């Protein structure tokens, strides 16, 4: 049976929605849903769309959303709903799970983190589920969401059983999938701008220079970027820099070099941005990461 992460292992990852660090089950069905904005985190996300939203973005790629589409998002990837539409009757379920917890779920029989890496090669992140698989996963997430805080021995055992069933279905879908769902173009101008920012965010990106590069006004760029991504250019750039910093901190690169490589002019600005977004300092994050290895 997969084991709950202890404190040293939990602290290496950003907290999930309910301040958990191992896994979290989520289900939602909202009449209206404002775009949350592109975001990133330290854990895997297995997202299943049922209806209400149109487009999903992972880094530079935009995918159309249909009933029972599965999105598999590894750690450290910018992702989320994108576009200028407001989702209505938005139904989805998803599982957050840390890499350590995912690996434990393999029970020594399968390396699930390597399995994900293998099946996500060539940039494929979207898979088609059958209606039966999608509905089964929905019910598992609804049940697990309702019971995941049960800390009794039997409650934890039952929760892990649901968790493993969900992951098993995900793996089966990924294993049999041969069809590639190709990314699409929704807003060519904004996708070009987003791709440019993704390629140059470690440089000194100024709104005025970015607008000039693409032949648009500053006000137009500022408004449309927020409308498209849910974040300002400045906020998006900071998220990408901190995202890169988290990846580098897992290596032995000195923190001062991490700050410089990620585009910060000095360590103090890096420290402020990282601590605000990660909830801990870079040095504390590195210490926690090393403890959990």
């Amino acid at each position: 049976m997969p084991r709950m992460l202890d404190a040293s292992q939990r602290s290496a990852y950003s907290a999930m929605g309910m301040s958990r660090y191992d896994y979290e089950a989520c289900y939602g069905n909202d009449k209206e849903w404002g775009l949350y904005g592109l975001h990133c985190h330290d854990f895997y996300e297995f997202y299943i769309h049922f209806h209400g939203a149109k487009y999903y973005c992972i880094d530079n790629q935009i995918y159309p959303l249909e009933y029972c589409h599965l999105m598999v998002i590894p750690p450290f990837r910018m992702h989320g709903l994108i576009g200028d539409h407001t989702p209505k009757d938005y139904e989805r379920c998803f599982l957050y799970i840390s890499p350590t917890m995912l690996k434990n779920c393999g029970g020594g029989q399968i390396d699930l983190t390597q399995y994900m890496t293998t099946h996500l090669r060539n940039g494929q992140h979207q898979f088609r589920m059958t209606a039966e698989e999608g509905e089964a996963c929905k019910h598992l997430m609804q049940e697990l969401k309702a019971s995941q805080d049960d800390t009794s021995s039997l409650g934890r055992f039952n929760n892990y059983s649901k968790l493993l069933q969900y992951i098993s279905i995900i793996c089966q879908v990924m294993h049999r999938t041969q069809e590639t769902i190709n990314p699409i173009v929704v807003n060519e101008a904004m996708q070009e701008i987003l791709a440019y920012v993704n390629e140059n965010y470690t440089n000194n990106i100024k709104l005025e220079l970015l607008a000039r590069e693409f032949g648009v006004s500053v006000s137009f760029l500022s408004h449309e970027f927020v409308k498209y991504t849910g974040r300002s250019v400045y906020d998006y750039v900071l998220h990408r820099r901190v995202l890169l910093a988290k990846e580098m901190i897992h290596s032995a690169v000195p923190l001062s070099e991490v700050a410089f490589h990620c585009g910060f002019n000095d360590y103090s600005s890096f420290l402020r941005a990282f601590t605000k977004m990660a909830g801990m300092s870079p040095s504390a994050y590195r210490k926690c990461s090393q403890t959990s290895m």
Side-chain angles (χ1 to χ4, degrees):
M1 181 179 74
R3 58 190 176 85
M4 185 76 75
L5 302 187
D6 60 31
S8 65
Q9 291 173 312
R10 292 199 308 266
S11 58
Y13 305 105
S14 296
M16 299 171 187
M18 300 297 291
S19 297
R20 297 180 65 103
Y21 296 85
D22 48 0
Y23 72 90
E24 183 183 353
C26 303
Y27 168 80
N29 190 354
D30 300 277
K31 289 294 182 183
E32 291 197 17
W33 180 263
L35 291 181
Y36 179 72
L38 298 183
H39 56 285
C40 59
H41 39 60
D42 302 20
F43 39 84
Y44 284 87
E45 179 177 341
F46 302 113
Y47 166 101
I48 302 171
H49 176 262
F50 297 105
H51 54 76
K54 294 182 179 179
Y55 312 114
Y56 203 94
C57 177
I58 300 179
D59 289 334
N60 295 332
Q61 306 297 329
I62 314 297
Y63 298 89
L65 286 174
E66 297 179 7
Y67 176 68
C68 285
H69 272 184
L70 164 68
M71 306 299 301
V72 179
I73 304 103
F76 306 117
R77 303 294 294 272
M78 292 295 288
H79 64 280
L81 299 183
I82 202 164
D84 57 2
H85 68 288
T86 300
K88 297 182 184 299
D89 297 319
Y90 177 37
E91 185 179 17
R92 71 283 183 200
C93 70
F94 51 95
L95 173 71
Y96 293 148
I97 184 165
S98 76
T100 301
M101 188 67 187
L102 181 63
K103 188 172 184 178
N104 289 341
C105 285
Q109 303 304 307
I110 181 174
D111 185 337
L112 286 171
T113 55
Q114 182 58 46
Y115 186 91
M116 295 301 155
T117 299
T118 299
H119 286 80
L120 295 175
R121 285 175 181 161
N122 302 318
Q124 181 167 359
H125 293 274
Q126 189 177 49
F127 305 85
R128 296 185 189 275
M129 311 183 81
T130 66
E132 292 77 12
E133 290 167 334
E135 292 299 321
C137 284
K138 179 198 299 187
H139 293 311
L140 285 168
M141 288 299 97
Q142 288 173 324
E143 293 174 357
L144 188 53
K145 179 181 179 181
S147 63
Q148 63 190 350
D149 292 326
D150 185 345
T151 58
S152 68
S153 297
L154 182 58
R156 285 167 48 123
F157 178 81
N158 289 333
N159 288 340
Y160 281 132
S161 175
K162 297 181 181 74
L163 180 67
L164 292 178
Q165 289 179 64
Y166 187 88
I167 295 173
S168 176
I169 294 173
I170 297 299
C171 289
Q172 291 175 48
V173 170
M174 297 176 72
H175 177 73
R176 72 158 187 264
T177 296
Q178 296 180 343
E179 174 193 7
T180 298
I181 303 176
N182 295 319
I184 62 173
V185 175
V186 175
N187 182 325
E188 184 174 1
M190 292 312 303
Q191 282 180 234
E192 289 180 358
I193 292 172
L194 183 61
Y196 179 88
V197 173
N198 284 335
E199 293 172 3
N200 295 278
Y201 64 88
T202 58
N203 299 325
N204 186 19
I205 294 182
K206 292 185 177 181
L207 201 58
E208 296 81 2
L209 297 178
L210 188 60
R212 188 183 308 164
E213 175 74 21
F214 287 91
V216 297
S217 68
V218 171
S219 60
F220 175 86
L221 174 58
S222 180
H223 178 268
E224 291 299 311
F225 196 89
V226 171
K227 187 178 177 181
Y228 188 66
T229 68
R231 298 192 181 279
S232 68
V233 173
Y234 175 79
D235 190 39
Y236 183 85
V237 167
L238 279 185
H239 271 78
R240 295 250 35 166
R241 288 179 176 180
V242 171
L243 171 63
L244 177 60
K246 283 184 174 183
E247 290 189 272
M248 294 186 67
I249 285 174
H250 284 276
S251 67
V253 178
L255 294 178
S256 57
E257 291 186 24
V258 171
F260 177 78
H261 186 82
C262 293
F264 293 94
N265 293 327
D266 53 68
Y267 188 80
S268 61
S269 60
F270 167 60
L271 177 62
R272 286 194 302 272
F274 190 97
T275 302
K276 179 180 179 180
M277 295 184 183
M280 65 178 74
S281 68
S283 57
Y285 185 86
R286 168 166 282 171
K287 183 178 181 180
C288 290
S289 301
Q290 293 171 340
T291 303
S292 67
M293 298 273 303

